[in-house]
Amino acid sequence: MADQLPSTPKLDELEKGKWPSFVTEIKMAAKRSPMAADLLGQLEQSYREKIGYWKHGGIVGVMGYGGGVIGRYSALPKEYPGISHFHTMRINQPAGWFYTSDSLRKICDIWEKHGSGLTNMHGSTGDIILLGCRTEELEPVFDELQKIDFDIGGSGSDLRTPSCCCGMARCEWACYDTMALTHDLTMHYQDELHRPAFPYKFKFKMSGCPNDCVASIARSDLSIIGIWRDEIQIDKAAVTEYAEKGMDIQSDVVNNCPGKCINWDGKEITIDDSFCRHCMHCINVMPKALRPGKDRGAMLLIGSKAPIIEGAFLSSILVPFIKIEPPYTELKDLVDKIWDLWCEEGKNRERVGEFIQRVGLSAFLDEIEVEPIPEMVAHPRENPYVFYEDYEDDDEDDK
Amino acid sequence: MAKSIEEVADAMFNMVKEAQGVKKLKPMDLIKAMIQIYGEEVDKKLCKMAIKELINNGRCVYTYFGGSFIELPHREGAAND
């Protein structure tokens, strides 16, 4: 038990105001954990001197795994011995982040026994983050987590822990079962998750509809976003009810449609679905009246990433529609082709989106045997010196 | 004749040992090297199993320094007591 908390005038400023404060949380943990107390001390010093006092550890982990532990050492171990080692453990979260209160208590008990007691729920990849552990405590934590059916997640150049929105468990818009797919991919790719063999990290994120609540289009190498390919379902009586209750359908729905495919004559709404961009705006505004179509699946988009190395990318369309049904063979076959090519030709620390930019989309598509489609063209006719094989063949035939 | 997992693991271990302190090797570097040396006597699946063997018996460890590598176990410079 910490005898006395360090003086933290700068950190105390971050407790002011009505919002929860991470400083308050660390102070509470510090009453029981010397690690948390020393964390406060070092953080205060960092704020005072404007220097981060952490060293990166690149070797620590649990036996057999190459990911899931991020090594951290204090650069001031004599001043703050409690955080001399302060490794992070990433724990594979259940699909959709559903827990029983009992399982959360068990995780917290393990962490209070072996670590700092501080957690981060959840990390940006989706894992449960356990903050602050000594090297010799990593294996005991791992052993105890296994006993309650939790496993370590991904880190380093491996498949990162797949994550998804709550999908059909909580949301009426889910166009496929995101949680089932996430669970299946996690189980199927255990080797890729625990044994880093990629040029760099690879993330799957599953969103049930184009609202994309897990922001897969911005944060995953392969974004799997639920979509429909038939007509938006319209409940005409409910449309009338919205209008009668004062909704300005022309202004709030029709004028905001990016595909300009909705018509409202003051009595009835009609949609030209061939121009629908699947943005979900009309459905979000009139959820009782409009629903996604019945022929549902997902769109696959590839290549997004955060700014590290080359800058931030958004995902681009790879497959406009694919049925997402067990055992997901079509999806897995495509993923395996992408990984084979990227692992073979990718440079160290090159994300798949950067790889595609380097080799060119057409070469990438050729290798993974996916036909190009108009949706992949960002700027038609941008380059007049592009020639197509078919045209060249035609020319040769003419000769 | 196909190589055994142990033979490939030994060859990989020697590569890692020779490269230690000189060049960090990624798992794919080892796999490509084995395919180059042994040709059709090995495949990627066998090579991955050989890597798993090396890691599971503690002869090599995964390390992370901007990317993931395979090295001999050693005390890292950043480590505190």
Side-chain angles (χ1 to χ4, degrees):
Chain A
M1 184 179 289
D3 296 331
Q4 193 180 354
L5 295 185
S7 168
T8 55
K10 288 200 175 291
L11 291 179
D12 295 347
E13 291 294 314
L14 298 175
E15 290 189 283
K16 295 175 180 171
K18 60 183 177 180
W19 301 107
S21 163
F22 76 97
V23 175
T24 306
E25 298 293 318
I26 299 176
K27 282 182 178 176
M28 284 165 65
K31 290 175 183 170
R32 288 187 292 185
S33 162
M35 293 181 95
D38 274 351
L39 179 64
L40 276 176
Q42 178 171 302
L43 191 54
E44 177 70 18
Q45 185 167 341
S46 285
Y47 275 41
R48 196 169 58 241
E49 298 173 1
K50 297 183 173 59
I51 295 172
Y53 287 108
W54 292 110
K55 295 188 288 182
H56 176 71
I59 294 183
V60 290
V62 297
M63 186 59 122
Y65 283 19
V69 177
I70 297 94
R72 284 288 179 277
Y73 295 101
S74 169
L76 305 169
K78 288 181 182 167
E79 293 88 336
Y80 306 106
I83 53 170
S84 172
H85 301 197
F86 202 75
H87 310 312
T88 297
M89 296 185 82
R90 286 192 184 144
I91 311 304
N92 193 331
Q93 81 286 4
W97 300 286
F98 283 85
Y99 304 92
T100 62
S101 50
D102 182 54
S103 63
L104 284 176
R105 279 190 203 96
K106 284 175 179 166
I107 291 169
C108 292
D109 286 346
I110 292 168
W111 197 235
E112 287 191 352
K113 182 177 168 190
H114 296 284
S116 71
L118 293 168
T119 69
N120 185 226
M121 302 283 270
H122 291 83
S124 59
T125 300
D127 307 78
I128 302 166
I129 305 292
L130 303 179
L131 294 163
C133 183
R134 288 193 62 81
T135 304
E136 61 272 21
E137 296 293 339
L138 293 170
E139 290 286 354
V141 172
F142 181 55
D143 290 344
E144 292 205 33
L145 285 169
Q146 297 253 307
K147 286 176 191 163
I148 59 167
D149 295 329
F150 277 86
D151 195 3
I152 283 180
S155 71
S157 304
D158 66 9
L159 172 64
R160 299 304 181 84
T161 316
S163 72
C164 64
C165 68
C166 58
M168 290 175 170
R170 293 278 292 161
C171 179
E172 67 270 43
W173 303 142
C175 292
Y176 72 96
D177 191 341
T178 54
M179 299 171 70
L181 178 62
T182 300
H183 183 261
D184 188 279
L185 293 179
T186 304
M187 294 297 124
H188 185 75
Y189 291 122
Q190 280 289 295
D191 199 50
E192 287 77 5
L193 181 55
H194 297 307
R195 297 178 184 84
F198 294 158
Y200 203 22
K201 66 184 86 169
F202 190 96
K203 299 180 180 181
F204 289 116
K205 286 198 192 299
M206 279 53 83
S207 282
C209 78
N211 279 333
D212 196 10
C213 291
V214 290
S216 68
I217 199 166
R219 304 195 305 159
S220 59
D221 298 273
L222 192 67
S223 317
I224 304 173
I225 300 178
I227 202 166
W228 62 96
R229 61 179 169 182
D230 54 352
E231 294 81 33
I232 291 176
Q233 301 179 70
I234 304 173
D235 180 338
K236 291 181 179 175
V239 173
T240 305
E241 194 181 335
Y242 274 113
E244 286 174 354
K245 286 186 175 174
M247 177 181 281
D248 185 343
I249 292 176
Q250 184 64 39
S251 170
D252 296 347
V253 180
V254 177
N255 293 352
N256 287 327
C257 173
K260 303 296 177 202
C261 63
I262 305 175
N263 186 54
W264 167 246
D265 62 6
K267 291 180 181 173
E268 196 170 304
I269 206 168
T270 52
I271 301 174
D272 182 354
D273 290 88
S274 60
F275 287 97
C276 175
R277 306 269 176 90
H278 299 84
C279 72
M280 292 289 290
H281 177 76
C282 59
I283 295 172
N284 290 334
V285 176
M286 307 172 77
K288 289 181 184 171
L290 304 177
R291 300 182 70 80
K294 291 177 180 171
D295 186 8
R296 299 176 179 188
M299 178 181 279
L300 306 183
L301 302 97
I302 193 161
S304 69
K305 59 180 283 292
I308 303 172
I309 316 286
E310 287 276 330
F313 291 176
L314 288 177
S315 285
S316 304
I317 294 174
L318 181 66
V319 177
F321 187 86
I322 184 172
K323 280 285 185 186
I324 302 290
E325 289 162 356
Y328 315 109
T329 309
E330 195 181 351
L331 173 63
K332 287 171 185 169
D333 286 348
L334 181 62
V335 167
D336 290 343
K337 282 180 188 170
I338 293 168
W339 284 352
D340 271 351
L341 175 63
W342 176 52
C343 288
E344 193 74 33
E345 306 293 342
K347 294 179 181 176
N348 188 31
R349 301 195 82 189
E350 185 175 52
R351 296 284 286 271
V352 74
E354 294 161 340
F355 172 71
I356 293 169
Q357 286 224 330
R358 178 167 63 83
V359 302
L361 182 62
S362 59
F364 176 76
L365 293 174
D366 266 352
E367 291 293 327
I368 64 167
E369 298 169 324
V370 169
E371 287 294 314
I373 50 169
E375 286 91 333
M376 294 170 179
V377 180
H379 304 288
R381 296 182 185 277
E382 190 178 58
N383 184 340
Y385 298 102
V386 172
F387 300 99
Y388 296 94
E389 287 171 12
D390 287 350
Y391 294 162
E392 289 169 6
D393 291 345
D394 288 346
D395 289 345
E396 283 172 12
D397 290 345
D398 292 343
K399 290 172 191 170
Chain B
M1 187 179 162
K3 291 284 172 191
S4 69
I5 293 172
E6 291 74 22
E7 284 176 290
V8 177
D10 283 344
M12 286 179 169
F13 178 78
N14 289 333
M15 263 191 81
V16 173
K17 194 175 170 185
E18 283 173 23
Q20 188 82 356
V22 180
K23 186 178 189 297
K24 290 185 188 299
L25 297 173
K26 295 181 76 67
M28 190 48 73
D29 296 332
L30 297 175
I31 293 170
K32 284 180 179 173
M34 293 302 112
I35 290 171
Q36 195 169 18
I37 293 167
Y38 296 120
E40 292 182 357
E41 293 178 278
V42 298
D43 59 21
K44 283 184 184 174
K45 191 176 174 189
L46 179 80
C47 291
K48 282 186 177 179
M49 289 165 75
I51 290 173
K52 191 173 176 182
E53 176 81 9
L54 279 178
I55 300 293
N56 284 349
N57 63 25
R59 295 171 79 192
C60 290
V61 290
Y62 285 110
T63 62
Y64 181 83
F65 295 96
S68 296
F69 301 94
I70 291 179
E71 297 183 66
L72 300 185
H74 63 279
R75 180 184 162 83
E76 62 184 323
N80 295 329
D81 291 328

